[in-house]
Amino acid sequence: MARFLFIHQNFPGQFRHLAPALAADGHEVVALGMRAQSEALPGVHYVCHHLADGAGATVPAPQLRDLYGKLLRGESAADSLQRLKEQGFTPDVIFVHPGWGEGLFAQDVFPRARLLVYAEYYYGAEGGDSHFDPEFSAAATLQSRQRLRLRNTHLLHAMTSADAGLSPTRFQRDRHPDWFRQRISVIHDGIDSQRFRPDARARVTLSKAGLVLRPGDEVVTFVARHLEPYRGYHIFMRALPELQRLRPNARIVIVGGDGVSYGAAPPKGQSWKAIFRDEVAARLDMSRIHFVGKVPHALLTQLMQVSAVYSYLTYPFVLSWSLMEAMSVGCLIVASRTAPVEEVIEHGVNGLLTDFFDPQALAESLADALQRRASLGHLREAARNTIVQGYDLQRHCLPAQKRFALG
């Protein structure tokens, strides 16, 4: 049996299934993160590390602030790892998500451990998120390219030391440099297709509106962790006036917080949610648009199950679990024709795709999907089959992750 050390700032993150599965197989599993654990994973000993008081008080040059923060987290993580070592724990395998810097010095504490990295995303000026949306980012300049190069510094350190990497999609793997790409296995995090499945009995109550939504109702759902440009919230809102003109009886349910997960913050004192809502509010029947904020996962699943159409938009960036869960539920998907989406959705086969920057086309596609939803059951079935046949957690992904971790 082996000793495993998982490092993830927001543990369990992408290791939610793998870490306890290895523990259940008899391996010793320790995890390191920076947030208090809301739930204990069976067999996993969790250690929480914190930055020292006053850490970061000295602010370096602006272009180095991001890297400096990762350096501080790397040092804090290394201190905790050193204490684990002094207590007698020496891992055979370290599996780290290097995105926040925690893995910078892991091999300095445990030089003989096999190092695996979760290669989630490598930043670059071409073909990715950084200069995709001209409304929020100008064309690449020398200065912006320099910032991107520095933004990858900690990832390059991780790749240089790593024995192997894992990416959840081919798009994410292919963002990485050629010299490391050949060491990256593509294994998705996995979707529990038995949990996320169609349910004709699903019901969602919108208390403020006095509504109960059921399968068969004309419901369009949009979901993001936060309502922001990276996930196309601005495009979706701009499509709504035309969608309501074409389908005046549709209910639009929008799930997501007011903050920012990715990209630039909105102007001070404002939120992207309010900015783009207010931009079109005068042309909308707001009584049929329901902002529900963040919702529990079980309720989100029920919302997917009652949705007539599920809309998903994204920059060329990390693919959301929510899209894959919606496919597993058997949603009728209308999504953006962007590279990560095209890896799992083929237009007219298991969903419908539109140009990311065209709100008119999105509105028309959503309206057409609502109009023809009774005859598009084959797209729903194909979407679910895509997950069951290629991305199912227990059948495919978790066994492959275990083989990868064990080498």
Side-chain angles (χ1 to χ4, degrees), residues 21-79:
L22 289 170
D25 288 345
H27 302 288
E28 184 175 358
V29 180
V30 174
L32 179 72
M34 284 194 71
R35 69 176 183 180
Q37 208 173 16
S38 58
E39 60 176 308
L41 296 182
V44 178
H45 174 61
Y46 180 66
V47 177
C48 187
H49 75 100
H50 304 278
L51 297 184
D53 291 341
T58 302
V59 180
Q63 63 269 31
L64 293 177
R65 287 174 186 167
D66 180 68
L67 180 59
Y68 183 54
K70 291 176 171 62
L71 170 65
L72 294 174
R73 288 189 286 274
E75 290 176 338
S76 174
D79 289 342

Side-chain angles (χ1 to χ4, degrees), residues 169-171 231 312-320 323-324 327 333-347 350-354 356 391:
T169 67
R170 295 188 302 276
F171 168 77
R231 296 310 191 192
Y312 177 77
L313 309 173
T314 186
Y315 286 12
F317 193 57
V318 173
L319 194 66
S320 301
L323 171 65
M324 311 288 276
M327 294 173 67
I333 308 290
V334 176
S336 58
R337 189 179 285 106
T338 42
V341 179
E342 289 181 292
E343 188 167 328
V344 296
I345 297 286
E346 183 179 351
H347 180 70
N350 60 352
L352 301 170
L353 300 177
T354 66
F356 179 92
Y391 298 91

Side-chain angles (χ1 to χ4, degrees), residues 283-362:
R283 296 184 286 142
L284 294 175
D285 176 0
M286 293 300 295
S287 70
R288 305 192 73 83
I289 299 176
H290 310 280
F291 288 89
V292 298
K294 293 184 176 181
V295 301
H297 211 151
L299 179 56
L300 177 59
T301 303
Q302 291 174 313
L303 182 56
M304 294 173 179
Q305 289 164 336
V306 303
S307 295
V309 179
Y310 183 97
S311 184
Y312 177 77
L313 309 173
T314 186
Y315 286 12
F317 193 57
V318 173
L319 194 66
S320 301
W321 286 338
S322 60
L323 171 65
M324 311 288 276
E325 292 168 0
M327 294 173 67
S328 185
V329 164
C331 286
L332 176 55
I333 308 290
V334 176
S336 58
R337 189 179 285 106
T338 42
V341 179
E342 289 181 292
E343 188 167 328
V344 296
I345 297 286
E346 183 179 351
H347 180 70
V349 175
N350 60 352
L352 301 170
L353 300 177
T354 66
D355 181 82
F356 179 92
F357 296 108
D358 193 339
Q360 177 72 24
L362 175 60

Side-chain angles (χ1 to χ4, degrees), residues 11 19 32 61 67 116 127 132 201 230 265 315 332 342 351 366:
F11 185 84
L32 179 72
L67 180 59
L116 309 176
F132 174 72
R201 300 166 299 172
Y230 256 64
Y315 286 12
L332 176 55
E342 289 181 292
L366 290 168

Side-chain angles (χ1 to χ4, degrees), residues 149-188:
R149 187 171 296 279
L150 288 172
R151 195 173 185 182
N152 285 322
T153 299
H154 66 295
L155 301 177
L156 288 165
H157 274 278
M159 289 187 287
T160 299
S161 302
D163 294 284
L166 183 151
S167 288
T169 67
R170 295 188 302 276
F171 168 77
Q172 289 165 261
R173 176 199 63 191
D174 292 347
R175 297 294 300 161
H176 290 77
D178 291 342
W179 58 266
F180 187 66
R181 193 179 305 160
Q182 60 187 348
R183 281 188 275 160
I184 300 177
S185 298
V186 177
I187 307 171
H188 193 264

Side-chain angles (χ1 to χ4, degrees), residues 132-153:
F132 174 72
D133 190 342
E135 185 172 351
F136 299 97
S137 60
T141 64
L142 176 60
Q143 290 73 27
S144 68
R145 290 177 183 275
Q146 289 171 341
R147 287 194 296 272
L148 283 174
R149 187 171 296 279
L150 288 172
R151 195 173 185 182
N152 285 322
T153 299

